[in-house]
Every structure is written in structure tokens, then in C-alpha cells.
Amino acid sequence: MSDTHVVILAAGKGTRMKSAAPKVLHRAGGYSLIEHVLRAADALEPATTVVVVGHQSERVEAALGKRLGLGFALQQPQLGTGHALLQAEPFLAGRSGTVVLLSGDVPLLRSDTLRALVQTHTTRGAAATVLTARVDRPQGYGRIVREQGRIAAIVEDKDASPAERDIDEINSGIYAFALEPLFGALKSIGAANAQGEYYLPDLVKIYRERGLAVETVLLDDAREIMGVNSRRELADVAAILRTTKNDELMAAGVTLVDPASAWIGPDVVVGADTVIHPNVYLEGSTRVGSGCEIHAGVRIVDSTIDDGAVVNNYCVITESRLGPGALVGPFVHLRPQSVVGEAAKVGNFSELKKTTLGKGSKVNHLSYIGDTTVGEKVNIGAGTITCNYDGTHKAQTIIEDGAFIGSDTQLIAPVTVGKGAYVGSGSTIRENVPPGALAVSAGKQRNIDGWVEQKKKKK
Ligand code: UD1
Ligand code: CA
């Protein structure tokens, strides 16, 4: 069992987001801010993970409810970061080891950085280790005050003297603490400062006065500890996550025509020699094979696109699969559980739902095919509708291999069109069509000679 414990602070209001939703639930790069933090923390395989919640605690807890083994500590009211960590004490009582403290609004932090922090902390036997960074603009951050090179205190921006304000080494707000002295010392923090809050960074001075070892780990890339306090910063973080993912994909042989407008989630896989055009969104667990082409304006969620498939402009594809060499679009909607078989085609303003289209079959124009199994080499004419819903129940349609459905046909499910059968245009098919048969349901055409001339005379 690991003796590393993680506490994530997420009780603050996030006033500058100007949002009805809690700040840590805002999303960037496919996950909420706090999910990014939890994913980074997972690498430590913590024995305990506690999220300190306060502002809109129910919503944060509900959003993270699916994650097993999370503890939620309620901080009410929010009296500062020192007070926030104190609320986690009941979850850590009787434990030993290291507490890693994270902020729910710092989503770019990497697992490797956390491992290095814990490594330094434990090998040096420190009571506290602070993750720090040097930045061009330290305004707003706590400054690292050093004496003879060693960290002596952290001074908050609002409490800093002019000389301290010039310090460019800042506190990331991320720390490792030895559990043993932690909660006792937290209780000795006061709130006599510019903000009247219990500052967690005050622990540094308290520990140094008690002769306890405090270490620092300096980050190479200060962007990693960027916090999100506003929509502007949320967009900045999203852009960094996008660039990181897109650079990985391009290095692995994927062409991004415009990397600035390709939004590809962190878990998405794309094969070499696939070309992705502008304004494409690939989300969730989507996997795209090699040699595919995804044209502009496409959104694909939790779907699999096999090698050589082409998605033409402006399609929405959710929880579906395209077989090798399939072609869909432009303007196609594939709703969940649709499968477009090898070299099959779905085009122009067609919608599929819970439908399997066999190898080489086509639904090329203006059709709705739902709850349907379509065999191989079937041609479905323009404007074909499966009437799969009677207002209460959904029913299945089966169209067997090689069948031909004439344009403007309604197939009233449950119904089967047999192998190689033909359905005449404009039919309403209520009964099964045997293999090899022709079904026509439209009435016989009647022409009334001279009708137009007669109508004119009546006027
Ligand atoms: C904090 C640090 C500062 C550091 C900076 C890094 C303090 C006093 N200052 O400042 O040294 O440079 O982070 O970003 O710690 N929170 C609670 N309960 C509270 C107060 C805050 O849970 O009562 C949470 C917030 O939701 C947030 C985190 O703690 O996730 C940091 O709080 P915030 O108010 O943003 O601290 P900063 O002023 O940024
Ligand atoms: Ca902050």
C-alpha cells in the first residue's frame, strides 16, 4: 500500500469566472479542470484522495461521483488555504507518509513533476517541500523569500514589501508535506494578514522557526502551474492542451491542415497519414485509423473510424463505427450504435441510428434509417424513411443483401425486405417483401385529359 495521500483544494468561489457553475468543473482539453488534476495525481497511486469542497459542493461531488475512493471534505465557510487543508484531517487521522497538496484549478500539472516533487521530499526527509517557478510576471503569486539560499518564508502578493515584490520565484501552491507534524502546525497558523485568511504558505515560516526541514523543487516550465481564474485563462489552458496533443499527433505522422483549429481530445488515437482539415473536433475515446481524411467542420465523439475511411464536411458522428474505406458526408448524422460497413456510403442529409449498413451498401440522399440491419450491396434510394416508432415502441427493419429500395419509400417496421428484392419508388411497405420480389404500393396513375383547359373555362 502506498503511503502517499493527495488533497485537492476546490472550495473557492472562482468569482472571476462569472459563472453559475463551480470553477473546477469548467472544461478544457476534454476534461473538467479538476479531472485533469485527478488524472495527474493518479500516477502517484495515492492511498487516500480527498477533495476539499465548499462553494457549490454538491455539484462538484456529483460531477466526480463516478470516481471510486474519493473523500470529500466540506469547508464551510472558506477561510483560506490553510483552513481548507485542515478540513481533510479526519480522512488522514492515523495515517502516516506524505500528503501532496494540489489545487483543483491548476490543470496542466504533469505526473512526472509530481513524482519528482515526492521523490525530492522523501529522499531529503523534509517536513515540507514547495514546488516553485521563476516567472516574468510574479504579480498575484506568493513570493519565495530565501535566506542564505534556503527558503525562509512565502509572502503573499498583498502582504509583500516592495523589495519582496521584486522576487521572481513564486509559490505554485503545490506542496508535499510529511503527515506527522502537519495538522498540529496548521492549527497554529493565524489570520493576521492583508486578506484576513489562514494562509497555508505560512507553514514554511513556522517549520523553519521550529527547525524542520523545508525544501523546494524548481519547475523548468512555469506554464505547468498556470491556474485558471478567468475565462481568458481557461482559453489559454485549452490552447496549451490542444497544442500539446496536436504536436504529438503531427510528430507521429498525422497531417493537421490547421493545428490551431483541430480540437483533439487527450485520449483520441489517430493513425499515420490521416489528414485532418480545419475546425474538426475529435472527442472522448475516438480512434481514427491511418490514411483517413476528416474534412472541415466534423465532430466525432466516442467513435471508431477504420483505415482509409473518409468523412466529408459537416458530419456529426457519435458512438458509431466506420469500416475500412467507408465514405460518409457531407452533412450526415450518425447517431449512437451505427455501423457503416467496409466501403459503404452514407451521404447528403442522411441520418442513421442503431443501424448496421453492410459492406458496399449505400444510403446516399436525404434518408432516415433507424433500428435497421442492412445487408451487403443494398441500394437505398433518396428520401427513404424507416418508420421505426409507433409512438410507444421502436421496431426493427431488415433489408437483406442486394435489395434495392426505390426513392421516397417508407418502410413501416417491423418489416423485412428479402434478399435481392425491389421496392418501387413511392411505396409504403407495411408487409414483408419476399426475396427476389418486386413490391409496389403506390396506386395506379390516372391522367385526366384536358383538365387544365376545363379549369380555365370555369373561371
Ligand atoms: C495561492 C497561494 C499563493 C500561490 C498561488 C498559486 C495561499 C494563501 N496563497 O494563492 O502563495 O502563489 O496559490 O496559484 O495559499 N481554496 C479553498 N478554500 C479556501 C481558499 C482557497 O479551497 O478557503 C482553494 C481555491 O479554490 C483554489 C486554491 O485553494 O483551488 C488556491 O486558492 P486561491 O484563492 O486561488 O489562492 P491564490 O490567491 O491564488
Ligand atoms: Ca489561484
Side-chain angles (χ1 to χ4, degrees), residues 214-260:
V214 181
E215 298 287 343
T216 57
V217 169
L218 181 69
L219 262 177
D220 295 329
D221 183 357
R223 290 189 317 175
E224 243 192 84
I225 48 135
M226 240 175 91
V228 173
N229 298 299
S230 63
R231 306 273 179 164
R232 170 74 261 167
E233 288 167 355
L234 184 67
D236 291 344
V237 158
I240 290 170
L241 290 165
R242 184 198 64 221
T243 303
T244 306
K245 177 70 182 183
N246 289 354
D247 286 354
E248 276 170 30
L249 290 174
M250 289 188 284
V254 177
T255 293
L256 302 179
V257 173
D258 176 23

Side-chain angles (χ1 to χ4, degrees), residues 404-420:
F404 181 97
I405 311 296
S407 296
D408 189 28
T409 290
Q410 302 102 58
L411 298 159
I412 315 248
V415 73
T416 298
V417 177
K419 197 167 176 180

Side-chain angles (χ1 to χ4, degrees), residues 31-174:
Y31 291 101
S32 68
L33 300 178
I34 193 161
E35 282 174 284
H36 281 286
V37 177
L38 284 162
R39 280 160 61 94
D42 281 344
L44 299 174
E45 295 176 23
T48 322
T49 305
V50 182
V51 181
V52 180
V53 290
H55 189 72
Q56 298 201 356
S57 56
E58 322 75 36
R59 285 183 70 174
V60 178
E61 285 186 46
L64 298 177
K66 272 182 258 151
R67 272 197 162 246
L68 296 176
L70 276 190
F72 292 96
L74 186 64
Q75 185 199 20
Q76 207 67 273
Q78 289 96 49
L79 301 177
T81 48
H83 177 253
L85 177 52
L86 200 51
Q87 311 312 309
E89 185 177 17
F91 293 86
L92 296 169
R95 305 274 189 155
S96 61
T98 304
V99 177
V100 175
L101 185 90
L102 304 172
S103 263
D105 60 353
V106 180
L108 301 180
L109 191 70
R110 292 178 316 119
S111 300
D112 286 349
T113 303
L114 286 180
R115 283 198 206 95
L117 177 71
V118 172
Q119 172 79 22
T120 302
H121 178 77
T122 46
T123 52
R124 306 240 177 107
T129 304
V130 185
L131 187 66
T132 74
R134 288 193 189 284
V135 295
D136 294 334
R137 275 171 294 157
Q139 289 76 19
Y141 288 101
R143 309 295 207 285
I144 306 296
V145 178
R146 292 183 178 270
E147 281 165 13
Q148 284 113 41
R150 298 195 60 81
I151 184 168
I154 298 174
V155 181
E156 289 307 297
D157 190 63
K158 289 186 174 133
D159 301 278
S161 67
E164 287 165 343
R165 288 216 171 98
D166 286 341
I167 298 171
D168 69 350
E169 188 184 8
I170 57 125
N171 171 26
S172 69
I174 291 152

Side-chain angles (χ1 to χ4, degrees), residues 134-415:
R134 288 193 189 284
V135 295
D136 294 334
R137 275 171 294 157
Q139 289 76 19
Y141 288 101
R143 309 295 207 285
I144 306 296
V145 178
R146 292 183 178 270
E147 281 165 13
Q148 284 113 41
R150 298 195 60 81
I151 184 168
I154 298 174
V155 181
E156 289 307 297
D157 190 63
K158 289 186 174 133
D159 301 278
S161 67
E164 287 165 343
R165 288 216 171 98
D166 286 341
I167 298 171
D168 69 350
E169 188 184 8
I170 57 125
N171 171 26
S172 69
I174 291 152
Y175 322 78
F177 295 113
L179 198 41
E180 196 275 314
L182 180 62
F183 288 103
L186 275 178
K187 286 168 195 157
S188 69
I189 291 177
N193 52 53
Q195 303 187 78
E197 288 183 2
Y198 297 89
Y199 290 166
L200 177 58
D202 282 2
L203 265 192
V204 171
K205 194 158 183 251
I206 292 170
Y207 279 1
R208 290 306 311 275
E209 283 167 1
R210 291 186 189 174
L212 294 170
V214 181
E215 298 287 343
T216 57
V217 169
L218 181 69
L219 262 177
D220 295 329
D221 183 357
R223 290 189 317 175
E224 243 192 84
I225 48 135
M226 240 175 91
V228 173
N229 298 299
S230 63
R231 306 273 179 164
R232 170 74 261 167
E233 288 167 355
L234 184 67
D236 291 344
V237 158
I240 290 170
L241 290 165
R242 184 198 64 221
T243 303
T244 306
K245 177 70 182 183
N246 289 354
D247 286 354
E248 276 170 30
L249 290 174
M250 289 188 284
V254 177
T255 293
L256 302 179
V257 173
D258 176 23
S261 73
W263 294 91
I264 302 173
D267 301 329
V268 172
V269 177
V270 185
D273 288 324
T274 283
V275 177
I276 296 177
H277 291 266
N279 295 318
V280 166
Y281 294 76
L282 304 179
E283 301 176 11
S285 59
T286 293
R287 302 178 74 85
V288 179
S290 36
C292 296
E293 187 139 19
I294 314 292
H295 285 273
V298 167
R299 177 165 178 240
I300 303 178
V301 183
D302 296 332
S303 296
T304 299
I305 313 296
D306 286 340
D307 295 350
V310 175
V311 181
N312 233 314
N313 304 61
Y314 305 108
C315 294
V316 177
I317 299 175
T318 309
E319 292 171 40
S320 291
R321 176 167 202 140
L322 300 196
L327 171 60
V328 305
F331 301 102
V332 162
H333 191 184
L334 299 185
R335 290 167 55 206
Q337 297 175 47
S338 295
V339 178
V340 178
E342 184 177 344
K345 291 182 184 170
V346 184
N348 310 279
F349 308 102
S350 294
E351 172 183 347
L352 262 52
K353 187 215 74 175
K354 283 194 182 164
T355 286
T356 298
L357 202 57
K359 188 172 170 180
S361 290
K362 296 175 188 168
V363 185
N364 271 338
H365 323 271
L366 299 156
S367 292
Y368 169 63
I369 312 293
D371 300 303
T372 300
T373 305
V374 180
E376 298 185 1
K377 298 210 165 140
V378 168
N379 188 83
I380 296 184
T384 298
I385 307 291
T386 53
C387 307
N388 59 330
Y389 186 48
D390 63 6
T392 318
H393 300 104
K394 299 276 168 65
Q396 300 291 317
T397 299
I398 297 169
I399 304 173
E400 293 178 356
D401 293 351
F404 181 97
I405 311 296
S407 296
D408 189 28
T409 290
Q410 302 102 58
L411 298 159
I412 315 248
V415 73

